[in-house]
RNA sequence: GGAGAGAUGGCCGAGUAGGUCGAAGGCGGUCGCCUGCUAAGCGAUUACACGGGCCUAAACCUGUGUCGCGGGUUCGAAUCCCGCUCUCUCCGCCA
């Protein structure tokens, strides 16, 4: 959410920034509502002031044993008028807040201009792209042949975009989660295990609601939402709180299952682990001082890169252009891992600085010893998506005989050197 | 699921026969004084949001709202009534 006063005073600048995102949004209606709101508010407040003043007077008169019936009946009328006025104010505020909540964050000036994924810029690449003396198989074939991933029964038991992991496949999921969490904890993150269902307020706090209801699963009766990422519960951990400035930055690492409806992705990535309704992910979340957030984004991204480097998976880092960035983000780096069978890089992590956009929605502030409180800046990034890591390991470490070598760093967790058909 | 108790400022905790209560007192914080240093002591100060004064910002003054959330009664509600949420205790059930 953008600041009310900022919107009021810098409407042109905001419109220009949104235009960089490819959005043709005018703030005219918002500004008109704002003016109307202030006008009505002022009127309502004056009426209330009169009511309060006279009510005190009535109290005094009564105490003195004098009659105040006339004043009382007049105030009864005023009280009714105030009620109607409040009704009007509320309608205007709701309309204005609705617009405010639907405006995306402004891209940082360092973000390249563009309209879509093709305009993202590669920042750097790491690792040698492997060459195979045989045609590399896609991970779903490897997984099925090895008997470690079962897509068919996933579809039977649940539906399309669900799967079972089995045997060493299941152990691989668990190993990756433990490996990633251990790595991040060793770099100063505190491990958190969050709820997977959250309420509406939390989804609004991080920006999924009200705009993106269609992308999430919801528990009908209870009204809970299934989290699309641990970002939601972990960022909302401090919703409505004032953090001790001396404790910043707060760095948290959380494993969670993630649930996404993938509406609108019909026909995309229908095979394999790339786009499932449920997948595992380890997420990094930071709360920091405003002046530190862009530096924290760099280190957060580096922390995500470290996972891929430790696993020996070739990847590149791209900075998302203005047209491809997420709703709440001011700047985003995607990590893309190399998938040999497709011969392309695929997103495996997305690291974003949200500035105070989420903090304002979720009302997360900090305070130093004395002085006023201010909104923190929030950041998060995958560290990293587990399902896609499984896919990358299977494809990059496959052998001519169909077996898969286990990356060195994972062996303490897997307790085998190689995954073979059993 | 059944029975009961509760929710007040950064924290603890007063306040219910409705009327200067944004809220006593304490702790903590900040500033000043005192002190060779520390401890202790003394004085002051210490919620947030949104408006108006104000042309941009700060400071300041002023108004409105906020005592879990939402309604209601009343000229007037932290105090009375209704609904909801959450917390705690006991019983039952359960991984």
């Amino acid at each position: 959410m953008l600041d009310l006063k900022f919107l009021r005073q810098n409407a042109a600048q905001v419109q220009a920034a949104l235009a960089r995102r490819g959005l043709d949004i005018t703030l005219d209606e918002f500004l008109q509502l704002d003016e109307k709101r202030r006008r009505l508010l002022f009127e309502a407040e004056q009426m209330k002031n009169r009511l309060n003043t006279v009510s005190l007077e009535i109290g005094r008169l009564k105490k003195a044993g004098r009659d105040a019936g006339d004043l009382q009946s007049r105030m009864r009328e005023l009280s009714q008028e105030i009620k109607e006025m409040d009704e009007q104010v509320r309608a205007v505020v709701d309309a204005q807040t609705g617009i405010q909540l639907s405006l995306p964050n402004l891209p940082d000036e360092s973000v390249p201009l563009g309209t879509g994924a093709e305009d993202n810029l590669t920042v750097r690449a790491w690792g040698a792209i492997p060459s195979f003396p045989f045609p590399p198989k896609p991970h779903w074939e490897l997984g099925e042949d090895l008997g470690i991933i079962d897509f068919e029964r996933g579809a039977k038991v649940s539906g399309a975009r669900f799967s079972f992991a089995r045997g060493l496949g299941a152990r691989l999921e668990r190993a990756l989660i433990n490996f990633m969490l251990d790595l991040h904890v060793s770099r100063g993150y505190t491990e958190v295990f969050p709820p997977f269902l959250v309420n509406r307020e939390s989804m609004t706090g991080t920006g999924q609601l009200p705009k993106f209801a269609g992308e999430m699963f919801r528990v009908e009766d209870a009204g809970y939402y299934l989290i699309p990422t641990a970002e939601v519960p972990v960022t909302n951990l401090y919703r409505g709180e004032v953090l001790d400035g001396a404790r910043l930055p707060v760095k948290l690492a959380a494993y969670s299952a993630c649930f996404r409806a993938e509406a609108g992705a019909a026909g995309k990535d229908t095979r394999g682990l790339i786009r499932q309704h449920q997948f595992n992910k380890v997420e990094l979340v930071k709360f920091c001082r405003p002046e530190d957030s862009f530096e924290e984004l760099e280190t957060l991204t580096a922390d995500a890169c470290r996972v891929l480097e430790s696993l020996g998976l070739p990847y590149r880092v791209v900075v998302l252009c203005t047209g491809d960035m997420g709703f709440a983000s001011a700047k985003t780096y995607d990590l893309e891992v190399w998938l040999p069978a497709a011969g392309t890089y695929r997103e495996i992590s997305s690291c974003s600085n949200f500035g105070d956009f989420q903090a304002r929605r979720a009302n997360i502030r900090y305070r130093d010893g004395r002085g006023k409180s201010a909104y923190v800046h929030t950041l998060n990034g995958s560290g990293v998506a587990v399902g896609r890591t499984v896919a990358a390991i299977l494809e990059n470490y496959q052998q001519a005989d169909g077996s898969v070598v286990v990356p060195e760093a994972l062996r303490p967790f897997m307790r085998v050197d190689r995954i073979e058909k059993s």
Side-chain angles (χ1 to χ4, degrees):
Chain A
M1 184 161 63
L2 301 172
D3 180 57
L4 193 66
K5 279 184 193 143
F6 182 80
L7 283 168
R8 185 149 69 219
Q9 288 161 10
N10 305 282
Q13 185 188 331
V14 170
Q15 275 174 222
L18 293 179
R20 296 188 71 219
R21 272 185 179 264
L23 298 171
D24 181 22
I25 293 179
T26 162
L27 292 178
D28 292 352
E29 188 191 352
F30 179 84
L31 293 174
Q32 279 165 18
L33 285 168
D34 188 54
E35 214 169 290
K36 189 170 179 190
R37 183 188 114 254
R38 284 189 289 166
R39 206 176 58 236
L40 292 174
L41 205 55
F42 185 67
E43 252 184 89
E45 286 180 356
Q46 283 190 320
M47 290 161 80
K48 285 176 186 177
N49 180 234
R50 173 136 182 275
L51 180 73
N52 290 342
T53 313
V54 175
S55 289
L56 281 176
E57 182 60 25
I58 291 173
R60 250 180 249 126
L61 286 174
K62 287 204 153 182
K63 212 163 252 174
R66 294 207 261 157
D67 177 65
D70 184 43
L71 281 180
Q72 280 189 36
S73 66
R74 271 196 280 158
M75 287 307 104
R76 190 167 18 240
E77 277 170 42
L78 182 59
S79 180
Q80 199 52 45
E81 286 167 33
I82 287 173
K83 229 167 250 176
E84 283 157 24
M85 186 60 88
D86 278 345
E87 211 50 49
Q88 288 186 53
V89 171
R90 185 207 289 243
V92 174
V93 167
D94 284 353
Q96 193 185 15
T97 308
I99 293 175
Q100 204 180 353
L101 283 174
S102 72
L103 293 174
N105 202 357
L106 308 181
D108 183 64
E109 283 172 15
S110 67
V111 174
L113 187 65
T115 56
E118 64 283 356
D119 295 321
N120 296 339
L121 292 183
T122 301
V123 176
R124 62 179 180 274
W126 182 93
I129 288 175
S131 60
F132 294 88
F134 56 90
K137 291 188 199 167
H139 68 273
W140 55 86
E141 275 184 38
L142 291 160
E144 282 173 336
D145 291 349
L146 289 166
I148 59 172
I149 308 175
D150 189 340
F151 292 102
E152 242 176 73
R153 292 195 179 92
K156 175 180 73 178
V157 170
S158 295
R161 298 196 191 282
F162 288 94
S163 62
F164 282 85
R166 183 183 179 111
L168 287 176
R171 194 189 291 179
L172 182 56
E173 287 278 334
R174 183 159 56 92
L176 281 168
I177 294 164
N178 286 334
F179 162 71
M180 291 178 197
L181 282 172
D182 284 359
L183 181 65
H184 296 311
V185 167
S186 79
R187 305 292 299 192
Y189 289 81
T190 299
E191 186 173 343
V192 167
F193 187 76
F196 293 0
L197 302 181
V198 300
N199 57 30
R200 158 167 287 275
E201 288 71 29
S202 294
M203 283 297 186
T204 306
T206 31
Q208 281 74 21
L209 288 177
K211 260 201 137 169
F212 306 102
E215 296 179 15
M216 295 176 300
F217 290 113
R218 181 162 182 264
V219 181
E220 275 302 331
D221 294 336
Y224 293 125
Y225 292 86
L226 278 71
I227 58 171
T229 158
E231 162 194 353
V232 177
V234 177
T235 304
N236 279 282
L237 187 66
Y238 295 123
R239 174 153 51 84
E241 296 191 27
V242 180
L243 306 179
D244 178 0
R247 303 189 80 103
L248 296 177
V250 174
K251 298 163 65 178
L252 305 174
Y255 154 75
S256 85
C258 303
F259 305 90
R260 298 191 182 176
E262 297 297 349
K268 254 198 230 167
D269 304 314
T270 49
R271 306 198 68 180
L273 294 172
I274 299 300
R275 200 175 292 277
Q276 299 259 293
H277 283 312
Q278 175 190 324
F279 60 95
N280 291 314
K281 182 156 62 70
V282 169
E283 185 77 2
L284 304 174
V285 175
K286 286 185 184 179
F287 303 83
C288 72
R289 292 164 184 284
E291 61 269 28
D292 298 335
S293 65
F294 282 98
E295 182 52 39
E296 293 289 351
L297 176 62
E298 298 301 320
T299 55
L300 178 81
T301 306
D303 290 332
C305 289
R306 188 168 296 108
V307 173
L308 300 178
E309 289 168 20
S310 302
L311 293 173
L313 295 171
Y315 70 93
R316 66 181 184 187
V317 180
V318 304
V319 56
L320 298 193
C321 74
T322 53
D324 201 32
M325 279 178 18
F327 176 75
S329 176
K331 184 173 188 177
T332 299
Y333 291 114
D334 271 8
L335 273 54
E336 299 180 338
V337 73
W338 178 254
L339 291 181
T344 57
Y345 286 99
R346 287 305 301 260
E347 178 189 339
I348 195 166
S349 169
S350 193
C351 303
S352 301
N353 177 11
F354 301 96
D356 62 7
F357 189 85
Q358 292 181 328
R360 184 171 292 110
R361 285 179 164 241
N363 192 24
I364 305 169
R365 293 168 295 166
Y366 76 98
R367 191 184 351 242
D368 290 308
R370 65 184 194 140
K372 311 204 301 184
S373 60
Y375 290 116
V376 298
H377 279 196
T378 59
L379 303 95
N380 69 55
S382 343
V384 299
V386 173
R388 291 186 179 185
T389 305
V390 169
I393 287 173
L394 294 182
E395 293 195 12
N396 281 280
Y397 282 90
Q398 63 180 296
Q399 307 297 306
D401 63 0
S403 68
V404 171
V405 170
V406 173
E408 197 78 46
L410 225 44
R411 290 183 192 170
F413 298 89
M414 286 297 287
R415 302 191 301 282
V416 295
D417 297 351
R418 187 185 283 263
I419 300 173
E420 297 175 299
K421 184 163 185 167
S422 57

